[in-house]
Amino acid sequence: MVATLQLPIYLVFMFAIFGLAAWALIDLLRRPAAAFVSAGKRTKPLWGAILGVATAVSFAAVPFPKGIPTFPLFLALLCAVAAIVYLVDVRPAIAPYSRRRPPSSGPSRGGGW
């Protein structure tokens, strides 16, 4: 009885961790490398390596359908920690440096005759 409840809950947690890591990696890829330096955070390649490994490990942690979880849970939790640190600490810090600016329409015509 308990085992029939544990597997779906475990599966939901593993998919959530994978989704979180993938979201962090996709967000990282969309940010310019200069924003990391300007915000005083670690470099984009380092965060890319951390989140790339976290996404791969969290994908491997998702059990096969109707399978028994064999992957160590603590590794999946470390992946979640890496993604959460990026999303909660790094992402807000680099956001002001990576905003897109509206396209300029050329020289302004204001002022003067």
Side-chain angles (χ1 to χ4, degrees):
M1 169 84 177
V2 174
T4 58
L5 291 175
Q6 284 179 336
L7 187 60
I9 292 171
Y10 183 84
L11 188 64
V12 167
F13 279 136
M14 290 303 118
F15 271 118
I17 291 172
F18 172 65
L20 193 67
W23 174 31
L25 181 64
I26 291 169
D27 184 74
L28 171 99
L29 295 174
R30 296 179 59 208
R31 305 290 178 169
F36 291 83
V37 176
S38 298
K41 298 296 177 180
R42 298 286 179 184
T43 63
K44 183 177 180 176
L46 178 67
W47 274 109
I50 291 170
L51 293 176
V53 168
T55 303
V57 169
S58 63
F59 178 74
V62 175
F64 291 107
K66 296 185 181 182
I68 299 171
T70 58
F71 206 81
L73 181 61
F74 75 92
L75 289 179
L77 293 176
L78 288 176
C79 297
V81 168
I84 289 169
V85 166
Y86 173 79
L87 291 171
V88 171
D89 181 42
V90 178
R91 183 176 183 239
I94 64 173
Y97 301 103
S98 59
R99 292 217 170 100
R100 295 181 185 204
R101 293 182 176 89
S104 63
S105 60
S108 65
R109 296 180 182 225
W113 295 87

